[in-house]
Structures are given as C-alpha cells and as structure tokens.
Amino acid sequence: MTISLLTRSVARRSFARFCNTDLSVAKLGSIRLKTYYTPAHEYISVEEGGEASVGITDFAQSALGDIVFVDLPEVGEEFEAGDSFGSVESVKAASDVYSPVSGTVVAINDALEDEPGLVNSSAETDAWFIKLEIKDESELDGLMGADKYKAHCDEEQS
C-alpha cells in the first residue's frame, strides 16, 4: 500500500502537534539537528556534538532576490556571536551575514562559489554557508525556535 508524500507530511505534522513536539528538531540519518534563527534571518542547525551549519533563511533569500555572489571566510577563522563572517550579494542588494553564536569555522560550502544561486533554491539545506564548531552552546538560548521565527517574519511582513 502506497501512502502519498502529502499524506505522510500531514500525518507527521498532526502527530507532532498531538505530541506537542518541536518541529525545528529534524533527524538526518542518525544525526539529530536542532535549528535556531536570528532576527537578521540567519539560521544555525546544530548537530549532536556541537558542530553546526550556518546560512541565511528562505525568508532572507526571498527578500534579496536572485543571489549572484557569496563571500565566505577561511576555515580556522574564529567569530564571536554577532560578528559578520561574510556577505551575500543579489541583483537587488548586498548584505552582511552574521554568526549566530561564537565559534571556529571548520568548513565552508565551496559549492556556493560556483553556484551562488543555490541559496535561492535550497537556502536552509544544501546552501549552508559555513560549519562552526560552537564555542559556547549556551548562546543558543538567545536565539529563536521555529515558531518564534515564523511569528517574527509575519510581523516584518505586516
């Protein structure tokens, strides 16, 4: 018996609501991810063990328009929470990208150098900008979860 993708998605969301589960927690293979957001529209997806992917949200890429260039730091650079670690340029504007937490860059997404438009199609998945080794996980407490971030975006649009 085949269950459609839509049916499974609706069932998963309904079950999560029933269980009062936070949908900002996802599972990728055997790795649990928890995603947090900043008011400036960066996201950080934290893996168990303290490594995290950082990038801009789908809301941010939509506001910027077609992304034409992404400037990233070097592996090994250290940033404090709120420091600019790079920039993103679109046909509309250029914008700095800020580190949601303090940490050391352990990887950059080289794919964005050749294909910056990946940010428009996969902002919160394949188009992560950097991976950070988090210095102080307590800084995550000052960031927004998925529900608060959605409310923040709704407020900005009104």
mmCIF file of all heavy atoms in Angstrom, residues 40-42 56-70 87-97 119-120 123 129:
data_model
loop_
_atom_site.group_PDB
_atom_site.id
_atom_site.type_symbol
_atom_site.label_atom_id
_atom_site.label_comp_id
_atom_site.label_asym_id
_atom_site.label_seq_id
_atom_site.Cartn_x
_atom_site.Cartn_y
_atom_site.Cartn_z
ATOM 1 N N ALA A 40 18.013 38.703 12.270
ATOM 2 C CA ALA A 40 18.581 39.150 10.992
ATOM 3 C C ALA A 40 18.482 38.075 9.910
ATOM 4 O O ALA A 40 19.075 38.201 8.842
ATOM 5 C CB ALA A 40 20.041 39.569 11.190
ATOM 6 N N HIS A 41 17.758 36.994 10.201
ATOM 7 C CA HIS A 41 17.434 35.942 9.234
ATOM 8 C C HIS A 41 18.602 35.013 8.885
ATOM 9 O O HIS A 41 18.698 34.520 7.771
ATOM 10 C CB HIS A 41 16.812 36.538 7.965
ATOM 11 C CG HIS A 41 15.618 37.379 8.269
ATOM 12 N ND1 HIS A 41 14.421 36.832 8.685
ATOM 13 C CD2 HIS A 41 15.453 38.732 8.265
ATOM 14 C CE1 HIS A 41 13.563 37.826 8.897
ATOM 15 N NE2 HIS A 41 14.161 38.971 8.664
ATOM 16 N N GLU A 42 19.447 34.736 9.865
ATOM 17 C CA GLU A 42 20.394 33.634 9.728
ATOM 18 C C GLU A 42 19.818 32.441 10.481
ATOM 19 O O GLU A 42 19.047 32.605 11.412
ATOM 20 C CB GLU A 42 21.770 33.968 10.338
ATOM 21 C CG GLU A 42 22.570 34.996 9.583
ATOM 22 C CD GLU A 42 22.320 36.416 10.063
ATOM 23 O OE1 GLU A 42 21.680 36.602 11.118
ATOM 24 O OE2 GLU A 42 22.754 37.353 9.376
ATOM 25 N N ILE A 56 21.699 31.636 5.503
ATOM 26 C CA ILE A 56 20.568 32.561 5.572
ATOM 27 C C ILE A 56 19.281 31.783 5.337
ATOM 28 O O ILE A 56 19.280 30.747 4.683
ATOM 29 C CB ILE A 56 20.695 33.743 4.581
ATOM 30 C CG1 ILE A 56 20.676 33.280 3.123
ATOM 31 C CG2 ILE A 56 21.937 34.561 4.896
ATOM 32 C CD1 ILE A 56 20.563 34.420 2.116
ATOM 33 N N THR A 57 18.208 32.310 5.859
ATOM 34 C CA THR A 57 16.924 31.623 5.780
ATOM 35 C C THR A 57 16.268 31.814 4.416
ATOM 36 O O THR A 57 16.662 32.677 3.627
ATOM 37 C CB THR A 57 15.958 32.147 6.854
ATOM 38 O OG1 THR A 57 15.671 33.518 6.575
ATOM 39 C CG2 THR A 57 16.536 31.976 8.250
ATOM 40 N N ASP A 58 15.250 31.018 4.190
ATOM 41 C CA ASP A 58 14.470 31.142 2.966
ATOM 42 C C ASP A 58 13.815 32.522 2.897
ATOM 43 O O ASP A 58 13.726 33.128 1.826
ATOM 44 C CB ASP A 58 13.416 30.033 2.906
ATOM 45 C CG ASP A 58 12.760 29.961 1.556
ATOM 46 O OD1 ASP A 58 13.473 29.814 0.551
ATOM 47 O OD2 ASP A 58 11.522 30.069 1.501
ATOM 48 N N PHE A 59 13.388 33.055 4.031
ATOM 49 C CA PHE A 59 12.799 34.401 4.087
ATOM 50 C C PHE A 59 13.813 35.433 3.581
ATOM 51 O O PHE A 59 13.473 36.316 2.788
ATOM 52 C CB PHE A 59 12.378 34.728 5.521
ATOM 53 C CG PHE A 59 11.698 36.056 5.675
ATOM 54 C CD1 PHE A 59 10.320 36.149 5.577
ATOM 55 C CD2 PHE A 59 12.425 37.199 5.940
ATOM 56 C CE1 PHE A 59 9.673 37.379 5.722
ATOM 57 C CE2 PHE A 59 11.801 38.430 6.094
ATOM 58 C CZ PHE A 59 10.421 38.523 5.985
ATOM 59 N N ALA A 60 15.070 35.320 4.022
ATOM 60 C CA ALA A 60 16.115 36.263 3.622
ATOM 61 C C ALA A 60 16.412 36.164 2.135
ATOM 62 O O ALA A 60 16.510 37.183 1.446
ATOM 63 C CB ALA A 60 17.386 36.018 4.428
ATOM 64 N N GLN A 61 16.558 34.945 1.611
ATOM 65 C CA GLN A 61 16.879 34.806 0.189
ATOM 66 C C GLN A 61 15.745 35.342 -0.666
ATOM 67 O O GLN A 61 15.980 35.927 -1.714
ATOM 68 C CB GLN A 61 17.250 33.370 -0.190
ATOM 69 C CG GLN A 61 16.152 32.341 -0.223
ATOM 70 C CD GLN A 61 15.243 32.403 -1.438
ATOM 71 O OE1 GLN A 61 15.609 32.914 -2.491
ATOM 72 N NE2 GLN A 61 14.039 31.882 -1.277
ATOM 73 N N SER A 62 14.511 35.162 -0.204
ATOM 74 C CA SER A 62 13.355 35.651 -0.944
ATOM 75 C C SER A 62 13.361 37.185 -0.995
ATOM 76 O O SER A 62 13.067 37.781 -2.026
ATOM 77 C CB SER A 62 12.072 35.136 -0.292
ATOM 78 O OG SER A 62 10.943 35.617 -0.965
ATOM 79 N N ALA A 63 13.717 37.812 0.115
ATOM 80 C CA ALA A 63 13.775 39.277 0.174
ATOM 81 C C ALA A 63 14.914 39.824 -0.686
ATOM 82 O O ALA A 63 14.783 40.892 -1.289
ATOM 83 C CB ALA A 63 13.937 39.734 1.621
ATOM 84 N N LEU A 64 16.023 39.090 -0.751
ATOM 85 C CA LEU A 64 17.174 39.554 -1.525
ATOM 86 C C LEU A 64 16.986 39.392 -3.030
ATOM 87 O O LEU A 64 17.533 40.153 -3.812
ATOM 88 C CB LEU A 64 18.438 38.806 -1.091
ATOM 89 C CG LEU A 64 19.023 39.213 0.248
ATOM 90 C CD1 LEU A 64 20.062 38.204 0.701
ATOM 91 C CD2 LEU A 64 19.631 40.610 0.162
ATOM 92 N N GLY A 65 16.254 38.393 -3.438
ATOM 93 C CA GLY A 65 16.118 38.119 -4.873
ATOM 94 C C GLY A 65 17.226 37.203 -5.355
ATOM 95 O O GLY A 65 17.841 36.483 -4.569
ATOM 96 N N ASP A 66 17.496 37.227 -6.649
ATOM 97 C CA ASP A 66 18.485 36.320 -7.248
ATOM 98 C C ASP A 66 19.878 36.575 -6.685
ATOM 99 O O ASP A 66 20.455 37.660 -6.857
ATOM 100 C CB ASP A 66 18.517 36.468 -8.769
ATOM 101 C CG ASP A 66 17.234 35.990 -9.422
ATOM 102 O OD1 ASP A 66 16.536 35.146 -8.823
ATOM 103 O OD2 ASP A 66 16.931 36.460 -10.539
ATOM 104 N N ILE A 67 20.434 35.561 -6.010
ATOM 105 C CA ILE A 67 21.773 35.656 -5.410
ATOM 106 C C ILE A 67 22.819 35.477 -6.507
ATOM 107 O O ILE A 67 22.761 34.514 -7.276
ATOM 108 C CB ILE A 67 21.972 34.590 -4.314
ATOM 109 C CG1 ILE A 67 20.857 34.654 -3.256
ATOM 110 C CG2 ILE A 67 23.362 34.694 -3.689
ATOM 111 C CD1 ILE A 67 20.782 35.921 -2.465
ATOM 112 N N VAL A 68 23.790 36.415 -6.573
ATOM 113 C CA VAL A 68 24.821 36.357 -7.618
ATOM 114 C C VAL A 68 26.231 36.137 -7.060
ATOM 115 O O VAL A 68 27.145 35.787 -7.809
ATOM 116 C CB VAL A 68 24.797 37.618 -8.503
ATOM 117 C CG1 VAL A 68 23.485 37.707 -9.269
ATOM 118 C CG2 VAL A 68 25.027 38.889 -7.691
ATOM 119 N N PHE A 69 26.423 36.329 -5.739
ATOM 120 C CA PHE A 69 27.755 36.170 -5.155
ATOM 121 C C PHE A 69 27.639 35.922 -3.660
ATOM 122 O O PHE A 69 26.810 36.539 -2.988
ATOM 123 C CB PHE A 69 28.595 37.434 -5.398
ATOM 124 C CG PHE A 69 29.984 37.362 -4.828
ATOM 125 C CD1 PHE A 69 30.966 36.585 -5.427
ATOM 126 C CD2 PHE A 69 30.300 38.068 -3.680
ATOM 127 C CE1 PHE A 69 32.247 36.520 -4.893
ATOM 128 C CE2 PHE A 69 31.576 38.004 -3.142
ATOM 129 C CZ PHE A 69 32.557 37.228 -3.760
ATOM 130 N N VAL A 70 28.468 35.024 -3.156
ATOM 131 C CA VAL A 70 28.544 34.752 -1.716
ATOM 132 C C VAL A 70 30.009 34.823 -1.309
ATOM 133 O O VAL A 70 30.857 34.161 -1.907
ATOM 134 C CB VAL A 70 27.960 33.362 -1.373
ATOM 135 C CG1 VAL A 70 28.105 33.077 0.119
ATOM 136 C CG2 VAL A 70 26.502 33.268 -1.795
ATOM 137 N N SER A 87 29.373 37.859 3.317
ATOM 138 C CA SER A 87 28.301 38.659 2.725
ATOM 139 C C SER A 87 27.658 37.885 1.589
ATOM 140 O O SER A 87 28.212 36.916 1.073
ATOM 141 C CB SER A 87 28.838 39.996 2.222
ATOM 142 O OG SER A 87 29.775 39.790 1.184
ATOM 143 N N VAL A 88 26.485 38.362 1.228
ATOM 144 C CA VAL A 88 25.744 37.777 0.121
ATOM 145 C C VAL A 88 25.277 38.947 -0.753
ATOM 146 O O VAL A 88 24.822 39.962 -0.234
ATOM 147 C CB VAL A 88 24.580 36.889 0.621
ATOM 148 C CG1 VAL A 88 23.591 37.658 1.443
ATOM 149 C CG2 VAL A 88 23.888 36.190 -0.509
ATOM 150 N N GLU A 89 25.455 38.803 -2.070
ATOM 151 C CA GLU A 89 25.046 39.851 -2.995
ATOM 152 C C GLU A 89 23.992 39.302 -3.931
ATOM 153 O O GLU A 89 24.090 38.176 -4.405
ATOM 154 C CB GLU A 89 26.245 40.360 -3.798
ATOM 155 C CG GLU A 89 27.284 41.046 -2.941
ATOM 156 C CD GLU A 89 28.492 41.519 -3.746
ATOM 157 O OE1 GLU A 89 28.404 41.618 -4.989
ATOM 158 O OE2 GLU A 89 29.525 41.784 -3.116
ATOM 159 N N SER A 90 23.006 40.150 -4.193
ATOM 160 C CA SER A 90 21.939 39.775 -5.116
ATOM 161 C C SER A 90 21.786 40.867 -6.159
ATOM 162 O O SER A 90 22.488 41.883 -6.114
ATOM 163 C CB SER A 90 20.625 39.596 -4.351
ATOM 164 O OG SER A 90 20.118 40.862 -3.953
ATOM 165 N N VAL A 91 20.861 40.675 -7.071
ATOM 166 C CA VAL A 91 20.594 41.700 -8.069
ATOM 167 C C VAL A 91 19.984 42.939 -7.424
ATOM 168 O O VAL A 91 20.039 44.017 -7.997
ATOM 169 C CB VAL A 91 19.683 41.167 -9.206
ATOM 170 C CG1 VAL A 91 20.400 40.079 -9.998
ATOM 171 C CG2 VAL A 91 18.362 40.650 -8.669
ATOM 172 N N LYS A 92 19.437 42.802 -6.205
ATOM 173 C CA LYS A 92 18.807 43.922 -5.503
ATOM 174 C C LYS A 92 19.739 44.626 -4.519
ATOM 175 O O LYS A 92 19.667 45.836 -4.347
ATOM 176 C CB LYS A 92 17.591 43.445 -4.706
ATOM 177 C CG LYS A 92 16.431 42.971 -5.513
ATOM 178 C CD LYS A 92 15.306 42.569 -4.565
ATOM 179 C CE LYS A 92 14.113 42.024 -5.270
ATOM 180 N NZ LYS A 92 13.063 41.615 -4.329
ATOM 181 N N ALA A 93 20.570 43.858 -3.803
ATOM 182 C CA ALA A 93 21.320 44.439 -2.689
ATOM 183 C C ALA A 93 22.469 43.524 -2.266
ATOM 184 O O ALA A 93 22.554 42.375 -2.692
ATOM 185 C CB ALA A 93 20.386 44.650 -1.501
ATOM 186 N N ALA A 94 23.309 44.064 -1.390
ATOM 187 C CA ALA A 94 24.344 43.273 -0.727
ATOM 188 C C ALA A 94 24.049 43.308 0.768
ATOM 189 O O ALA A 94 23.549 44.307 1.282
ATOM 190 C CB ALA A 94 25.724 43.836 -1.007
ATOM 191 N N SER A 95 24.334 42.215 1.446
ATOM 192 C CA SER A 95 24.034 42.135 2.870
ATOM 193 C C SER A 95 25.112 41.338 3.584
ATOM 194 O O SER A 95 25.580 40.316 3.077
ATOM 195 C CB SER A 95 22.673 41.455 3.055
ATOM 196 O OG SER A 95 22.348 41.358 4.413
ATOM 197 N N ASP A 96 25.504 41.814 4.762
ATOM 198 C CA ASP A 96 26.424 41.042 5.594
ATOM 199 C C ASP A 96 25.682 39.853 6.184
ATOM 200 O O ASP A 96 24.464 39.887 6.372
ATOM 201 C CB ASP A 96 26.982 41.893 6.735
ATOM 202 C CG ASP A 96 28.049 42.875 6.271
ATOM 203 O OD1 ASP A 96 28.667 42.638 5.218
ATOM 204 O OD2 ASP A 96 28.260 43.889 6.961
ATOM 205 N N VAL A 97 26.430 38.802 6.504
ATOM 206 C CA VAL A 97 25.880 37.622 7.172
ATOM 207 C C VAL A 97 26.610 37.504 8.511
ATOM 208 O O VAL A 97 27.833 37.614 8.575
ATOM 209 C CB VAL A 97 26.086 36.347 6.321
ATOM 210 C CG1 VAL A 97 25.434 35.157 6.995
ATOM 211 C CG2 VAL A 97 25.530 36.543 4.917
ATOM 212 N N VAL A 119 21.558 29.230 -3.157
ATOM 213 C CA VAL A 119 20.931 29.842 -1.991
ATOM 214 C C VAL A 119 19.444 30.090 -2.254
ATOM 215 O O VAL A 119 18.612 29.921 -1.365
ATOM 216 C CB VAL A 119 21.646 31.151 -1.585
ATOM 217 C CG1 VAL A 119 20.933 31.838 -0.425
ATOM 218 C CG2 VAL A 119 23.097 30.877 -1.228
ATOM 219 N N ASN A 120 19.100 30.468 -3.493
ATOM 220 C CA ASN A 120 17.698 30.709 -3.822
ATOM 221 C C ASN A 120 16.872 29.434 -3.852
ATOM 222 O O ASN A 120 15.698 29.446 -3.493
ATOM 223 C CB ASN A 120 17.566 31.425 -5.176
ATOM 224 C CG ASN A 120 18.150 32.811 -5.142
ATOM 225 O OD1 ASN A 120 19.138 33.081 -5.800
ATOM 226 N ND2 ASN A 120 17.563 33.701 -4.357
ATOM 227 N N ALA A 123 18.020 27.322 0.380
ATOM 228 C CA ALA A 123 18.626 28.188 1.395
ATOM 229 C C ALA A 123 18.937 27.474 2.708
ATOM 230 O O ALA A 123 20.020 27.648 3.272
ATOM 231 C CB ALA A 123 17.735 29.397 1.666
ATOM 232 N N PHE A 129 26.297 28.090 4.511
ATOM 233 C CA PHE A 129 27.481 28.892 4.203
ATOM 234 C C PHE A 129 28.730 28.335 4.869
ATOM 235 O O PHE A 129 29.747 28.142 4.221
ATOM 236 C CB PHE A 129 27.283 30.342 4.657
ATOM 237 C CG PHE A 129 26.343 31.144 3.804
ATOM 238 C CD1 PHE A 129 25.416 30.556 2.954
ATOM 239 C CD2 PHE A 129 26.373 32.525 3.860
ATOM 240 C CE1 PHE A 129 24.554 31.304 2.181
ATOM 241 C CE2 PHE A 129 25.517 33.292 3.089
ATOM 242 C CZ PHE A 129 24.610 32.689 2.255
#
